[in-house]
Amino acid sequence: MTTVQHAPEQVAGRLSPLDRYLPAWIGLAMILGLALGRTVPGLGAALDAVQLHGISLPIAIGLLVMMYPPLAKVRYDRLGAVTSDRRLLAGSLVLNWVLGPALMFALAWLLLPDLPEYRTGLIIVGLARCIAMVIIWNDLACGDREAAALLVALNSLFQIIAFAGLGWFYLTVLPGWLGLEQTALEASFTQIAVSVLVFLGVPLLAGYLSRTLGERTKGREWYENTFLPRISPFALLGLLFTIVLLFALQGERITSQPLDVARIALPLLAYFTIMWGGGYALGVALGLGYERTTTLAFTAAGNNFELAIAVAIATFGVTSGQALAGVVGPLIEVPVLVALVYVSLALRRRSGARDPIPTQERP
């Protein structure tokens, strides 16, 4: 397939209304979800009546639909080149499993010393690393798709291995060493593994099979220029659908406790900004180039709110402050990371990067 160079203004001109006005659509989706949660009696209970591994089934479906198109766009034959980049892999592991949890622990104790339930909820969010929406943010920012798929898979593996142990360390051991209040966390290996399998394994397998079978039967040109443009809108439609349902499910709790939400939002805002900025700075320092630097930054900043909410509900209950902190996570993460997508694209234009972009494949 032939690729061409596109100036930023040409790229913007090719965007669909859904892509071009994405921040507005996301804002409307959040408002619509909150309004539905407040005005439609029993909607939250109905959405939560059927669950898939602790997550409302309609929301789980939205997540799977959202993740499939970006993973279908990955060129899996290029993963070997990404795997050989030890700087990228090491940087991601350090950011996600050393700096990320430590930063959230520090921010939670610094800004919420008098609110133990919310503080614990935020620490759990900090332990649940990227798995779903980060694929969308990376794609919108023209990051490296193959690198994103690999880093998400790598961090998911570490999540299965390390989540419970890190939860014990940050909620029990480290507070004990520092003379702070200790909290117990129940998170089984099976619970975490199933979450990763469902929310990453299913769309990853579907994306791999789509590309493998599509190219084998129709060829790469048909797959890239015909099939991918047809399925691409489903990623953003799935994102908007998920946001509406997520905020409809928790709309009453969020709008009835605005001061608590504001308290929870402050450390989250600092966390997402610092992690993205630190990831981007590390990528620049390592000389990774725009695409992989962007991928490193977004995979460091994104969090697996599905797992965080499920663990908080399973351990502390659906009405707990810990669960509310998990719910507020995407309320802050979505607009912040959308804004950082535009920051990334601005940095791309400023650096003069002109990465090859297949026609009709990506913004």
Side-chain angles (χ1 to χ4, degrees):
M1 182 187 63
T2 302
T3 58
V4 294
Q5 305 288 350
H6 295 280
E9 58 272 13
Q10 293 174 317
V11 170
R14 291 193 296 109
L15 295 179
S16 69
L18 181 62
D19 295 314
R20 190 177 300 122
Y21 303 113
L22 179 62
W25 301 133
I26 288 178
L28 289 174
M30 295 170 69
I31 293 171
L32 177 59
L34 292 173
L36 289 174
R38 290 288 296 180
T39 60
V40 180
L43 178 61
L47 290 175
D48 214 23
V50 181
Q51 296 190 353
L52 179 62
H53 191 59
I55 299 295
S56 167
L57 181 58
I59 292 178
I61 292 172
L63 289 168
L64 295 176
V65 171
M66 174 189 74
M67 291 182 66
Y68 167 65
L71 290 172
K73 295 176 182 178
V74 171
R75 290 187 174 178
Y76 292 92
D77 55 352
R78 293 182 178 175
L79 289 180
V82 181
T83 305
S84 65
D85 193 338
R86 297 181 180 180
R87 300 168 303 167
L88 177 69
L89 301 181
S92 179
L93 291 177
V94 170
L95 286 168
N96 277 283
W97 298 105
V98 179
L99 297 181
L103 176 62
M104 187 66 90
F105 175 86
L107 290 171
W109 273 100
L110 179 65
L111 299 175
L112 301 175
D114 57 328
L115 297 172
E117 290 190 358
Y118 299 154
R119 184 177 65 237
T120 298
L122 287 182
I123 292 173
I124 294 173
V125 170
L127 298 175
R129 310 312 300 166
C130 60
I131 191 172
M133 285 190 178
V134 68
I135 297 288
I136 293 287
W137 311 137
N138 178 75
D139 210 48
L140 290 171
C142 297
D144 187 318
R145 288 185 181 130
E146 290 71 35
L150 180 63
L151 293 185
V152 167
L154 178 66
N155 284 308
S156 296
L157 177 62
F158 268 77
Q159 192 161 252
I160 295 173
I161 298 170
F163 184 91
L166 286 174
W168 170 70
F169 177 77
Y170 279 104
L171 293 174
T172 303
V173 177
L174 185 55
W177 290 349
L178 299 175
L180 303 172
E181 182 181 351
Q182 298 171 294
T183 305
L185 176 66
E186 297 178 9
S188 69
F189 175 88
T190 301
Q191 180 185 23
I192 300 165
V194 171
S195 175
V196 171
L197 177 64
V198 171
F199 294 112
L200 175 63
V202 171
L204 183 62
L205 178 62
Y208 174 78
L209 291 176
S210 293
R211 180 170 282 278
T212 301
L213 297 177
E215 290 188 356
R216 184 178 300 169
T217 57
K218 294 283 191 175
R220 174 162 289 189
E221 184 175 354
W222 173 87
Y223 186 84
E224 298 277 1
N225 294 333
T226 302
F227 180 73
L228 289 181
R230 289 177 182 173
I231 67 169
S232 290
F234 287 99
L236 296 183
L237 292 174
L239 172 65
L240 297 176
F241 175 77
T242 301
I243 291 171
V244 170
L245 294 186
L246 181 66
F247 289 107
L249 186 62
Q250 301 291 343
E252 184 174 355
R253 295 184 63 199
I254 292 174
T255 56
S256 64
Q257 304 177 61
L259 294 180
D260 288 351
V261 169
R263 289 287 304 273
I264 297 169
L266 185 58
L268 283 169
L269 180 62
Y271 171 83
F272 293 130
T273 304
I274 293 171
M275 287 300 296
W276 186 90
Y280 201 95
L282 178 61
V284 171
L286 293 175
L288 296 179
Y290 172 80
E291 287 193 337
R292 291 187 179 178
T293 293
T294 297
T295 299
L296 183 64
F298 279 102
T299 51
N303 285 79
N304 182 0
F305 69 83
E306 305 94 342
L307 176 61
I309 294 172
V311 169
I313 290 174
T315 304
F316 304 103
V318 69
T319 60
S320 65
Q322 292 88 343
L324 177 61
V327 170
V328 175
L331 175 68
I332 306 303
E333 179 178 353
V334 169
V336 170
L337 292 191
V338 168
L340 291 173
V341 166
Y342 285 88
V343 172
S344 294
L345 294 174
L347 291 171
R348 180 174 182 267
R349 290 193 293 269
R350 186 173 180 180
S351 68
R354 293 291 186 272
D355 300 316
I357 305 176
T359 302
Q360 294 183 314
E361 186 179 336
R362 68 198 282 177

